[in-house]
Amino acid sequence: MGVCVLDLVLTEWLSATIRWLHVIAGIAWIGSSFYFIHLDLSLKSHKELPDGVKGEAWQVHGGGFYQMIKFMVAPSKMPDELTWFKWEAYTTWLSGFALLVVVYYMNASLFLIDKSVWDMTEPMAAGVAFGSLAACWIAYEVMCRSPLGKHEVALALIGYVFLVALTYAFTHVFSGRGAFTQIGALIGTIMVANVFAIIMPYQRKTVAAMIAGQEPDPHWGAMGKQRSVHNNYLTLPVVFLMLSNHYPLFFATQYNWLIVAIVLLIGPVIRHFFNSQHAGKGSPWWTWAVAAAGMIAIALLSAAGPRGEKVGALPTTPKFSEVTDIVSGRCSMCHAKEPFWPGIATAPNGVRLDTPELIKLHARMIAINAVKSSAMPPGNVSEITPEERQKLASWIAAGAPDK
Ligand code: HEC
């Protein structure tokens, strides 16, 4: 028992520490990439600029002025010191992957597997999740390097269909929560791989050519630019997907995959607004109308109810004792002062459902997690039936009476 508690505390501590690092690295990465996109778009060219310079921008920050100029390809002489931006991206991926292992792969039966979707063993679920990360990244690389890679719009459309199809597939293999995290991790992996396997190597080649006194190939820069544009448009959807595991109505309802499909549209559209504005090409306000319509569609879709079998409305309100029986039988093994579900040390998220008063008190949270969505029980490990959900629904609909 002592070892077991130590193990649980260690896992919690690891999860919290890695998550902290992951969020900070993500902020640093997204922050620097948004900064450079803005800078790149706001460069203005004029006659006095030296040869090979694309443009100039003046900025004010932290009590001083900055004069920024961008050399296309490279300057005629390499500077002695050059700052590279890569560890923000690498740290985000490394910490994110560690978090994926600690939270999802090591707790696969709660967070990755839903037996009613697909009955898998824990190692199998982790294997499928990890294998598909690698396979889908390769598929993306092939797309970008094929002739399709030369047609920006066609690549974007096919890439979109590819991601939506994967989301649909993942929601039919993993639990809703697992599927959302999986597609988020997949897009994140593609983005970091763009930095690691394309942008950085080509930048190194450019620098090496310069030092050797050769003319760098402009194609190298163009390759990096293409991937950098992809990363720009994928950023906002990834952040949504990473936060979505706190919102059962998104990941554990019937049209969860459609919600992701809409987010994959809203994110790039919002980026388009800022890209246009920073480039001085006006403010395409229509983008906000599209984003608002998308968010309304998500709200409506998220009200469609839990995944899986539906049962008709009940004519009567169940007695409160029936409700407490359901909760005791399906929830309290975890949500108690002293949980007895293996791997759960304290009531998850501090939510205790082991007395009638606490059940009544948490009525709203029970509604979101187990009535309006099928987030709880996780992976339906305690096998709540559709009829029991229906009884909880009727109880909630009647205002959660405690009689
Ligand atoms: C196998 C253990 C287990 C069972 C059974 C279980 N839960 Fe949970 N529950 C969890 C875990 C783990 C979390 C924390 C999830 C997270 O970290 O996001 C949680 C979180 C919650 C939360 C808090 C969500 C939030 O937003 O903070 C509520 C409410 C909840 N469960 C309700 C229920 C209800 C109602 C049932 C029964 C129908 C149930 N749970 C059954 C493990 C369980």
Side-chain angles (χ1 to χ4, degrees):
M1 186 64 197
V3 175
C4 177
V5 168
L6 185 69
D7 180 37
L8 291 170
V9 170
L10 190 68
T11 321
E12 281 295 285
W13 176 86
L14 260 181
S15 153
T17 311
I18 301 171
R19 194 177 297 252
W20 190 19
L21 174 63
H22 183 57
V23 170
I24 291 170
I27 290 172
W29 182 23
I30 297 174
S32 62
S33 73
F34 276 12
Y35 172 77
F36 279 106
I37 290 160
H38 182 174
L39 176 62
D40 212 44
L41 291 171
S42 63
L43 294 167
K44 299 271 180 317
S45 77
H46 55 83
K47 285 202 196 70
E48 286 98 83
L49 292 172
D51 276 351
V53 169
K54 179 191 173 193
E56 177 190 46
W58 279 86
Q59 303 185 340
V60 58
H61 188 79
F65 294 84
Y66 296 78
Q67 181 188 15
M68 323 288 282
I69 55 173
K70 178 177 183 178
F71 290 87
M72 285 318 278
V73 189
S76 53
K77 180 183 169 295
M78 280 309 291
D80 297 334
E81 267 187 44
L82 193 56
T83 307
W84 295 76
F85 289 85
K86 56 181 179 187
W87 280 106
E88 295 85 350
Y90 300 168
T91 312
T92 306
W93 190 85
L94 292 170
S95 55
F97 187 71
L99 202 55
L100 204 59
V101 172
V102 171
V103 178
Y104 286 86
Y105 298 178
M106 285 167 62
N107 281 305
S109 63
L110 289 189
F111 295 138
L112 202 50
I113 300 169
D114 182 338
K115 290 203 159 82
S116 66
V117 173
W118 194 307
D119 195 351
M120 287 189 276
T121 61
E122 291 209 332
M124 197 175 145
V128 171
F130 180 70
S132 58
L133 279 189
C136 297
W137 168 62
I138 293 172
Y140 164 80
E141 269 305 319
V142 170
M143 273 193 255
C144 291
R145 288 164 190 244
S146 74
L148 181 65
K150 298 198 174 58
H151 306 277
E152 247 175 61
V153 176
L155 181 64
L157 288 176
I158 294 195
Y160 176 76
V161 173
F162 173 66
L163 288 177
V164 173
L166 281 174
T167 306
Y168 185 82
F170 289 146
T171 54
H172 290 78
V173 173
F174 301 120
S175 70
R177 182 175 160 157
F180 272 44
T181 304
Q182 175 69 9
I183 192 77
L186 177 77
I187 300 175
T189 299
I190 287 177
M191 291 170 68
V192 176
N194 278 340
V195 176
F196 182 75
I198 302 291
I199 299 173
M200 279 298 140
Y202 283 117
Q203 249 162 31
R204 278 193 213 99
K205 271 179 128 170
T206 303
V207 170
M210 294 286 306
I211 290 170
Q214 293 156 356
E215 188 82 356
D217 185 345
H219 171 68
W220 300 341
M223 287 273 284
K225 180 73 195 164
Q226 177 201 39
R227 304 309 179 90
S228 169
V229 168
H230 293 178
N231 283 6
N232 177 10
Y233 286 112
L234 290 171
T235 307
L236 298 188
V238 168
V239 175
F240 179 96
L241 290 166
M242 292 302 160
L243 297 176
S244 67
N245 64 28
H246 299 286
Y247 296 95
L249 294 188
F250 296 157
F251 68 76
T253 48
Q254 283 182 46
Y255 300 115
N256 54 1
W257 66 275
L258 214 50
I259 291 177
V260 175
I262 295 173
V263 168
L264 286 170
L265 282 178
I266 298 179
V269 157
I270 296 177
R271 282 307 298 157
H272 176 67
F273 175 84
F274 288 103
N275 291 341
S276 306
Q277 225 183 24
H278 297 160
K281 291 182 185 160
S283 306
W285 291 108
W286 62 265
T287 54
W288 289 105
V290 172
M295 288 313 274
I296 291 168
I298 289 178
L300 295 173
L301 289 171
S302 72
R307 303 179 78 190
E309 206 180 319
K310 295 212 93 177
V311 284
L314 291 176
T316 52
T317 306
K319 287 205 280 299
F320 188 49
S321 63
E322 285 180 81
V323 170
T324 55
D325 280 352
I326 296 171
V327 175
S328 305
R330 310 295 184 189
C331 318
S332 318
M333 58 284 270
C334 297
H335 291 282
K337 189 161 173 236
E338 287 178 6
F340 54 85
W341 192 271
I344 305 273
T346 53
N349 290 16
V351 174
R352 274 179 57 192
L353 301 171
D354 50 355
T355 68
E357 294 72 33
L358 287 168
I359 292 172
K360 160 90 183 144
L361 185 72
H362 288 112
R364 188 177 167 275
M365 291 182 87
I366 294 174
I368 290 176
N369 287 275
V371 173
K372 303 278 184 211
S373 81
S374 47
M376 287 291 144
N380 202 7
V381 286
S382 56
E383 294 170 356
I384 192 170
T385 65
E387 291 72 27
E388 286 170 334
R389 276 200 211 281
Q390 190 63 44
K391 276 190 181 166
L392 292 181
S394 310
W395 173 64
I396 299 285
D402 52 2
K403 282 188 210 52

